[in-house]
Amino acid sequence: MKKIVILGGGFGGVYTAIHLEKQLKKYRDSIEIILVSRENYFTYQPMLAEVVGGSIDILDSVTCLRSLLKHTSIYIREVTEINIDEKTVTLSPNFSHKDLVINYDHLVLGLGSVTDFRTSPGGLAEHALPFKDLSDAIALRNRIIDVIETAAQEPDLEERKALLTFVVGGGGFSGVEVVAEINDLARKKAKSYKTIDPKNIRVVLVHSKDRLVDRELSPSLGTYCGKLLQKRGIEILFNSRLTSATPNEAIVDEKIRIKSRTIVSTVPSIANPLIEQLNLEKEFGKIKCDSHLQAKNRSDIWSVGDCALIPKSPSTPEEYSPPTAQFATRQAPILAHNIKSSLLTGKRKTFTFKSLGQMAALGHKRAVAEILGVKLSGVIAWVVWRFIYLLKIPGFSAKFRIALSWFLDMLIPTDTVQLKSKPKKGFDNLHYADGDTIFYAGDTGDYLYIIVKGKVDVIKEDVKITTLHAGEYFGEMALMSDKKRSATIKASGSCKILAIQKEDFDVLMTHFSDLKDNFTKTEIERLNNAKKRVQGD
Amino acid sequence: MKKIVILGGGFGGVYTAIHLEKQLKKYRDSIEIILVSRENYFTYQPMLAEVVGGSIDILDSVTCLRSLLKHTSIYIREVTEINIDEKTVTLSPNFSHKDLVINYDHLVLGLGSVTDFRTSPGGLAEHALPFKDLSDAIALRNRIIDVIETAAQEPDLEERKALLTFVVGGGGFSGVEVVAEINDLARKKAKSYKTIDPKNIRVVLVHSKDRLVDRELSPSLGTYCGKLLQKRGIEILFNSRLTSATPNEAIVDEKIRIKSRTIVSTVPSIANPLIEQLNLEKEFGKIKCDSHLQAKNRSDIWSVGDCALIPKSPSTPEEYSPPTAQFATRQAPILAHNIKSSLLTGKRKTFTFKSLGQMAALGHKRAVAEILGVKLSGVIAWVVWRFIYLLKIPGFSAKFRIALSWFLDMLIPTDTVQLKSKPKKGFDNLHYADGDTIFYAGDTGDYLYIIVKGKVDVIKEDVKITTLHAGEYFGEMALMSDKKRSATIKASGSCKILAIQKEDFDVLMTHFSDLKDNFTKTEIERLNNAKKRVQGD
């Protein structure tokens, strides 16, 4: 029994499995196809932005892997290790403490890319919402509903404006699509609140070039995109970058601070970190492949999609396939054929593909598209967009559900139900910029804070009484005595802070007696210092 | 401006707000209606079991509060304190660290009930899934999908059987409805896996009486229920109680142990703990009300639904309304009228109501019902069930969506997409019974464990080398050195254990130097002891 193991449940991995199933139909008893995916469903990413806006249902953009792949062994696990010398893949435990090790004859790496915040001066990893998969889309939709519900009851105008401000970083396809849906949802939902003035809603798109979708679309369509979004009330900051974030602000070019509770980053992505550890030829963090989609100098390792560096055509070996769904789905049948050739007989195929076109939906029944060189925009492009994606989405029942959702969306208004999961426990990583207030005297004591990097000032009645540094903690007094905060804490320069919820703090205090002694000692010291200061006045 | 504050977004609270809006239509400028709810939607609970089975969509059983209540101020917050002397209610912070305090002229307590595990010897609070709200229903559906996906790839037969065993405690309405849906979903989904033998699927219902739904339905219908579920392959343990649970087992009557990864408890519930602290006349933890739904001796406090003790009729003051949706929805208009009378003028109404009937769906197009004394069962009862609930669910678009889902469910099979939220960090509370293995030598080191209550044996090569007691921890060695577990740990008697994930353990070690010293010291000691033992051999 030969084993083909595919890692990754995105476009590259899933379409490879679909084509392998078809091409190896006669060899089911001698060749096993295995797919490892983090989720039990395949996400049709071009539809994700519509989940945020609500014009399709939450589950409409996904299809169960099991129903797409009837003859593949599917493992819903995290990959923890790939060993190309021993030809094994290790998967994380589920419901037990045992890793699962599977061996392979051929390995297909379709692990995609992950968001990379390493170049940010700080705060994006902690406070910007990512926008890559279904759980991101649901989380973003819930956040928008949450800030609007909260804004409706917020007495302070400044805070209300911050709650109603949305900042998106990156004006490529996904940035443009998601900012359009955020804008539509926020403005539509806010209408049902008498207490919200639509003038206080602010939606900002930050893009590093002077034209949107500059890499994907022609200049005229990119310009059209920008004009259309501006007409709908979206502010666009061109030639700017979303550089960092705090719990309360988006920071652009390290100088412009925008008060906001909803920051979305669609920009930078790098190949999956699992790839990094592999002893394979790489460039830009991606696996170098030949036109047969085989890793350089490796007859048993193949790669597809965003984590692979594949020539667009054998005649242009230095020009690589862009990281798009279109290319991944076109690479998949070639890859499946070549693995079949390796296992059985037959000539290999080479990958060569010219893009058929590009499309982006802009909400509100508008889109832009460039298909076989023809440029479309507005309502026509939007109709074409829906029609093409409906044809392309895999599975009949998915097509049916989406078509129905689109139809119903015209008839009945979408409900804005917020799907909260049970409150999370654990530690939060926070990033603050210079002068930010972490909490005010009089606030409720809900967290213990530990300074990981940088320093903070402790302020009582407008006087700075001390400065705390990395490794020190604060906020324990209100937690230990269940009182309100006795001082205001402000970041002095940019700093990174770890926050531990009151509930977890209580657990730690109960079970680690050393820690409790430690905190009690600090509290007594700080109270004594406070007394001395009062006496010294 | 007078303020009526309603606490709770269940049947009692929401229907009271609906009726207040109607009855106080002319007084919108002088009387404000405020509703405080944890979620921004109203859950139509009789439909929840169908969310588990998948015959309706995830959001079909809920309606956005905003669309039901257009003239009510809605606060989506947790209630943290009720002060009936100062007439204020304190709400938890959201996006800030400030509590929100609202004052009231009239207060309506519709806080419902919460699950009570205080009578269990242990483990139910930690390991049994609750079944009360939408997030419970989604979590349960996801668990069923998860265990089946995992079972399909599990090589060990015993472990596979445990993954495919489902135990439900409580044979009242919600227990019966949910066990029927679990059984349908598990058996249907398992069919798509060649590696799963349907004979290994086991669904068990544990009920404390000798007949199901004994309190709600007549003996003949209760018996019919039991027979029908048994025919579908559900095992029923009559005259038994689900008394405790561990991560791997359901324990019945403290002696029968059933290996299972999915344990659901639908049994005991008590009034909301916020009620406990109030200086009001109470019985069974509920607020004693008169037939006007007013709290005893309090002209500004009213109560409705499951947290209130309300006479069924003024003529039978000792017979109380049962905690059902039907009663809560009938109490609401009387309550609304009486508050209006208090604020304006008019005679008060008294609550008196006889149940119209009871119904329960049993999955697979079957139900039981008792309506105005007429007993129905089977397909007819099922059609009546659907028809009546469709009429009763509030909001036109909700009715439409559910009817459509039911229709589609007959046409296209439901997809079993598993909606995982991002992995949770934090602490887990675990309960083990005597002899349970916490981990085996050779397992992956993923948690640090602290013994909260009881003791555990440390076993190497089948020899017990030591016993650890409450306050001691274990498992740190594999975490600190990234190795596999070096010993097996077994519970000696029932014990409670706190588990801290590796990731959080690393954070603690990095930031609390005292703690690190502590762990390092223990590790050296334990290694030395191990050496001594080897030398002593």
Side-chain angles (χ1 to χ4, degrees):
Chain A
M1 193 85 172
K2 294 279 180 189
K3 280 187 182 176
I4 305 168
V5 173
I6 304 166
L7 304 185
F11 276 94
V14 169
Y15 275 84
T16 299
I18 290 174
H19 288 286
L20 278 171
E21 277 198 3
K22 272 188 217 160
Q23 299 191 19
L24 296 171
K25 206 171 174 177
K26 288 188 215 151
Y27 307 94
R28 260 175 218 158
D29 298 331
S30 56
I31 302 173
E32 187 185 4
I33 308 165
I34 294 171
L35 178 81
V36 181
S37 166
R38 192 181 287 140
E39 310 287 354
N40 90 332
Y41 53 81
F42 165 69
T43 306
Y44 198 70
Q45 256 165 332
M47 297 280 174
L48 269 189
E50 296 218 10
V51 172
V52 176
S55 51
I56 60 175
D57 278 349
I58 285 174
L59 298 184
D60 283 352
S61 63
V62 301
T63 308
C64 203
L65 286 177
R66 201 69 50 180
S67 60
L68 288 176
L69 298 165
K70 303 228 191 289
H71 304 285
T72 300
S73 301
I74 301 171
Y75 287 77
I76 312 300
R77 306 259 186 148
E78 293 278 341
V79 179
T80 52
E81 210 195 317
I82 303 167
N83 188 327
I84 57 176
D85 299 321
E86 312 226 329
K87 296 196 174 196
T88 59
V89 173
T90 307
L91 310 181
S92 68
N94 200 16
F95 291 104
S96 78
H97 304 284
K98 289 187 205 326
D99 290 334
L100 202 70
V101 178
I102 46 180
N103 61 319
Y104 64 81
D105 295 289
H106 283 272
L107 180 67
V108 179
L109 298 165
L111 291 160
S113 63
V114 295
T115 310
D116 176 24
F117 292 117
R118 288 178 305 185
T119 51
S120 155
L124 290 181
E126 293 88 349
H127 306 293
L129 298 167
F131 185 67
K132 279 195 76 79
D133 59 27
L134 181 63
S135 56
D136 295 338
I138 295 174
L140 179 54
R141 179 172 171 83
N142 285 341
R143 173 71 67 89
I144 299 167
I145 296 170
D146 203 5
V147 290
I148 292 177
E149 296 275 10
T150 308
Q153 308 300 355
E154 174 59 52
D156 182 68
L157 177 66
E158 281 312 304
E159 177 59 21
R160 199 156 65 236
K161 282 185 176 173
L163 287 164
L164 296 173
T165 300
F166 305 87
V167 180
V168 175
F173 270 137
S174 86
V176 160
E177 294 192 347
V178 84
V179 83
E181 294 284 347
I182 290 174
N183 189 57
D184 284 3
L185 175 63
R187 294 187 191 277
K188 202 169 72 184
K189 174 146 181 72
K191 275 185 198 152
S192 46
Y193 300 82
K194 286 172 295 187
T195 45
I196 294 181
D197 181 351
K199 272 186 239 128
N200 291 332
I201 298 175
R202 195 179 164 201
V203 181
V204 183
L205 177 63
V206 185
H207 186 55
S208 59
K209 299 289 160 56
D210 61 358
R211 201 181 62 235
L212 297 184
V213 279
D214 55 287
R215 284 187 306 168
E216 299 95 338
L217 292 176
S218 65
S220 64
L221 283 177
T223 310
Y224 171 85
C225 249
K227 290 242 167 80
L228 189 80
L229 294 183
Q230 282 168 332
K231 215 173 107 188
R232 297 250 195 80
I234 296 169
E235 266 174 64
I236 307 177
L237 301 179
F238 288 109
N239 299 313
S240 304
R241 276 171 204 275
L242 176 64
T243 47
S244 59
T246 76
N248 313 307
E249 289 169 339
I251 302 177
V252 175
D253 292 334
E254 281 306 282
K255 47 179 205 285
I256 307 168
R257 292 184 175 201
I258 305 172
K259 286 210 173 201
S260 167
R261 300 294 196 175
T262 315
I263 303 162
V264 182
S265 172
T266 66
V267 203
S269 66
I270 48 163
N272 196 301
L274 279 166
I275 303 284
E276 247 176 81
Q277 303 156 12
L278 297 180
N279 183 22
L280 293 173
E281 212 174 305
K282 275 166 280 182
E283 207 176 310
F284 317 117
K286 296 180 173 198
I287 299 160
K288 274 196 114 170
C289 294
D290 58 22
S291 284
H292 298 124
L293 288 90
Q294 199 160 42
K296 290 266 155 104
N297 310 317
R298 275 291 187 165
S299 63
D300 56 347
I301 300 180
W302 312 76
S303 189
V304 62
D306 293 9
C307 72
L309 207 63
I310 298 162
K312 268 188 174 174
S313 136
S315 56
T316 53
E318 292 302 305
E319 221 182 295
Y320 299 111
S321 305
T324 65
Q326 202 180 130
F327 273 81
T329 47
R330 294 302 177 114
Q331 286 159 1
I334 308 288
L335 176 49
H337 174 89
N338 290 348
I339 291 181
K340 186 187 169 191
S341 305
S342 297
L343 282 170
L344 307 161
T345 49
K347 220 172 156 282
R348 293 190 179 187
K349 288 185 183 169
T350 52
F351 176 73
T352 172
F353 176 65
K354 208 182 154 298
S355 169
L356 293 175
Q358 296 291 350
M359 305 185 287
L362 300 174
H364 246 57
K365 304 197 174 62
R366 295 289 182 280
V368 285
E370 203 161 348
I371 297 161
L372 300 170
V374 180
K375 291 172 202 162
L376 297 170
S377 63
V379 180
I380 298 170
W382 179 78
V383 172
V384 171
W385 182 92
R386 286 211 156 173
F387 183 72
I388 290 186
Y389 278 137
L390 204 57
L391 282 181
K392 291 207 315 194
I393 198 165
F396 169 76
S397 71
K399 283 187 215 295
F400 183 79
R401 274 186 287 128
I402 289 189
L404 189 74
S405 288
W406 280 339
F407 176 68
L408 290 178
D409 186 43
M410 294 187 246
L411 293 186
I412 42 172
T414 328
D415 221 10
T416 49
V417 163
Q418 190 194 1
L419 257 193
K420 269 186 247 178
S421 51
K422 300 272 164 178
K424 271 189 191 181
K425 293 194 290 178
F427 308 133
D428 288 319
N429 291 299
L430 308 173
H431 168 264
Y432 289 91
D434 186 34
D436 280 352
T437 301
I438 293 147
F439 57 69
Y440 289 96
D443 278 358
T444 305
D446 40 10
Y447 287 92
L448 166 79
Y449 299 88
I450 301 165
I451 308 169
V452 175
K453 215 176 122 185
K455 53 190 186 185
V456 304
D457 290 334
V458 182
I459 295 160
K460 271 194 184 179
E461 289 152 18
D462 292 332
V463 181
K464 180 172 115 182
I465 55 170
T466 186
T467 299
L468 301 173
H469 300 83
E472 292 188 280
Y473 49 78
F474 57 92
E476 81 290 351
M477 282 163 82
L479 292 194
M480 288 176 81
S481 49
D482 245 331
K483 286 182 305 203
K484 300 278 173 189
R485 299 295 189 192
S486 61
T488 296
I489 308 282
K490 276 181 192 288
S492 166
S494 151
C495 60
K496 282 194 187 290
I497 284 173
L498 184 78
I500 300 182
Q501 286 189 15
K502 183 175 174 3
E503 201 185 12
D504 286 343
F505 177 76
D506 292 343
V507 170
L508 284 177
M509 293 282 282
T510 315
H511 297 292
F512 294 109
S513 50
D514 296 357
L515 210 62
K516 190 176 178 173
D517 297 346
N518 201 351
F519 280 116
T520 314
K521 219 166 63 195
T522 314
E523 200 189 357
I524 293 170
E525 247 168 57
R526 286 183 178 173
L527 282 172
N528 282 341
N529 285 343
K531 261 185 221 157
K532 273 186 219 153
R533 269 193 308 273
V534 172
Q535 285 160 356
D537 275 352
Chain B
M1 193 85 173
K2 295 278 180 190
K3 279 187 183 175
I4 306 168
V5 174
I6 304 166
L7 303 185
F11 276 94
V14 169
Y15 276 84
T16 299
I18 290 175
H19 288 285
L20 278 171
E21 277 198 3
K22 272 189 216 157
Q23 299 191 19
L24 296 172
K25 205 171 175 179
K26 288 187 214 151
Y27 307 94
R28 263 177 217 156
D29 299 331
S30 56
I31 302 173
E32 187 185 5
I33 308 165
I34 294 171
L35 178 81
V36 181
S37 166
R38 192 181 286 140
E39 308 288 353
N40 90 332
Y41 53 81
F42 166 69
T43 306
Y44 198 70
Q45 255 163 335
M47 297 279 174
L48 270 189
E50 297 218 9
V51 172
V52 176
S55 51
I56 59 176
D57 277 349
I58 285 175
L59 298 184
D60 283 352
S61 64
V62 300
T63 308
C64 203
L65 287 177
R66 200 70 50 179
S67 61
L68 288 175
L69 299 165
K70 303 228 190 289
H71 304 286
T72 299
S73 301
I74 302 172
Y75 289 76
I76 311 301
R77 306 258 185 149
E78 293 278 340
V79 178
T80 52
E81 209 195 318
I82 303 168
N83 188 327
I84 57 176
D85 300 320
E86 311 228 330
K87 296 195 172 198
T88 58
V89 173
T90 308
L91 310 181
S92 67
N94 201 16
F95 290 106
S96 78
H97 304 286
K98 287 187 205 329
D99 289 335
L100 202 70
V101 179
I102 47 179
N103 60 320
Y104 64 81
D105 295 289
H106 284 272
L107 180 68
V108 179
L109 297 165
L111 290 161
S113 62
V114 295
T115 310
D116 177 25
F117 292 118
R118 289 179 304 185
T119 51
S120 155
L124 289 181
E126 293 88 347
H127 306 293
L129 298 166
F131 186 67
K132 279 195 77 77
D133 59 28
L134 180 64
S135 55
D136 295 337
I138 295 174
L140 179 53
R141 179 173 171 82
N142 285 341
R143 174 71 67 90
I144 299 167
I145 296 170
D146 203 5
V147 289
I148 293 177
E149 297 274 10
T150 309
Q153 308 300 356
E154 174 58 53
D156 181 69
L157 178 66
E158 282 312 304
E159 178 58 22
R160 199 156 66 234
K161 281 184 177 175
L163 286 164
L164 296 173
T165 299
F166 306 86
V167 180
V168 175
F173 270 137
S174 85
V176 160
E177 294 192 347
V178 84
V179 82
E181 294 283 347
I182 291 174
N183 189 56
D184 284 3
L185 175 63
R187 293 188 191 277
K188 202 169 72 184
K189 174 146 181 72
K191 276 186 197 149
S192 46
Y193 301 81
K194 286 172 295 187
T195 46
I196 293 180
D197 181 352
K199 273 185 242 129
N200 291 332
I201 298 175
R202 193 178 166 201
V203 182
V204 183
L205 176 63
V206 185
H207 186 55
S208 60
K209 299 289 160 57
D210 61 358
R211 201 180 62 236
L212 297 183
V213 279
D214 55 288
R215 284 187 305 169
E216 298 94 337
L217 291 177
S218 66
S220 65
L221 283 177
T223 310
Y224 172 84
C225 249
K227 291 243 167 79
L228 190 79
L229 294 182
Q230 282 168 332
K231 216 172 107 187
R232 296 251 195 80
I234 296 169
E235 263 173 66
I236 306 177
L237 302 179
F238 288 109
N239 299 313
S240 304
R241 275 170 206 275
L242 176 63
T243 46
S244 58
T246 75
N248 313 307
E249 288 170 338
I251 301 177
V252 175
D253 292 334
E254 282 306 281
K255 47 180 205 282
I256 307 167
R257 292 184 176 201
I258 305 171
K259 287 211 174 204
S260 166
R261 299 295 195 174
T262 316
I263 303 162
V264 182
S265 172
T266 66
V267 202
S269 66
I270 48 163
N272 196 301
L274 280 166
I275 304 284
E276 244 176 84
Q277 303 155 13
L278 296 180
N279 182 21
L280 292 174
E281 214 174 303
K282 275 165 280 183
E283 208 176 308
F284 317 118
K286 295 181 174 199
I287 299 161
K288 275 196 116 170
C289 295
D290 57 22
S291 283
H292 298 123
L293 288 89
Q294 199 159 42
K296 291 267 156 104
N297 309 317
R298 273 292 186 163
S299 62
D300 57 346
I301 300 180
W302 313 75
S303 190
V304 62
D306 293 8
C307 71
L309 207 64
I310 298 162
K312 267 188 175 174
S313 135
S315 56
T316 54
E318 292 302 305
E319 219 181 296
Y320 300 111
S321 306
T324 65
Q326 202 179 130
F327 273 82
T329 46
R330 294 301 177 114
Q331 288 159 1
I334 308 288
L335 177 48
H337 173 89
N338 290 348
I339 291 182
K340 185 187 168 190
S341 305
S342 298
L343 282 170
L344 308 160
T345 50
K347 216 171 158 282
R348 293 189 178 188
K349 287 185 183 169
T350 51
F351 177 72
T352 172
F353 176 66
K354 208 181 155 299
S355 168
L356 294 175
Q358 296 291 351
M359 305 185 286
L362 300 173
H364 247 57
K365 303 197 175 62
R366 294 290 182 281
V368 286
E370 202 160 348
I371 297 162
L372 300 169
V374 180
K375 290 173 202 161
L376 296 171
S377 63
V379 180
I380 299 169
W382 180 77
V383 171
V384 171
W385 181 93
R386 287 210 156 175
F387 184 72
I388 291 186
Y389 278 137
L390 204 57
L391 283 181
K392 291 209 310 196
I393 197 165
F396 169 75
S397 71
K399 283 186 215 296
F400 183 78
R401 273 186 288 126
I402 289 190
L404 189 73
S405 288
W406 279 341
F407 176 69
L408 290 179
D409 186 43
M410 293 186 245
L411 294 186
I412 41 172
T414 328
D415 222 9
T416 49
V417 163
Q418 189 194 2
L419 257 193
K420 268 187 248 178
S421 51
K422 300 270 164 181
K424 272 189 191 179
K425 293 194 290 180
F427 308 134
D428 288 319
N429 291 300
L430 308 173
H431 168 263
Y432 288 91
D434 185 35
D436 280 353
T437 302
I438 293 148
F439 57 69
Y440 290 96
D443 277 358
T444 306
D446 39 10
Y447 287 93
L448 166 79
Y449 299 88
I450 301 166
I451 308 168
V452 176
K453 215 177 121 184
K455 52 190 186 187
V456 304
D457 291 334
V458 182
I459 295 159
K460 272 193 183 180
E461 288 152 19
D462 292 332
V463 181
K464 178 171 115 183
I465 54 169
T466 187
T467 299
L468 301 174
H469 300 83
E472 292 188 280
Y473 49 77
F474 57 92
E476 81 289 350
M477 282 163 81
L479 291 194
M480 289 175 81
S481 49
D482 247 330
K483 286 183 304 203
K484 300 280 173 188
R485 299 294 187 192
S486 61
T488 295
I489 308 282
K490 275 182 193 286
S492 166
S494 151
C495 60
K496 282 192 186 291
I497 284 172
L498 186 78
I500 300 181
Q501 285 188 16
K502 183 175 175 2
E503 201 184 11
D504 286 343
F505 176 77
D506 292 343
V507 170
L508 284 177
M509 292 282 282
T510 315
H511 296 292
F512 295 110
S513 50
D514 295 359
L515 209 62
K516 190 177 179 174
D517 295 347
N518 202 350
F519 280 117
T520 314
K521 220 167 62 194
T522 314
E523 200 189 356
I524 292 170
E525 249 168 55
R526 288 183 178 173
L527 282 172
N528 281 341
N529 286 343
K531 260 185 223 157
K532 273 185 218 153
R533 270 194 307 273
V534 172
Q535 285 160 357
D537 276 352

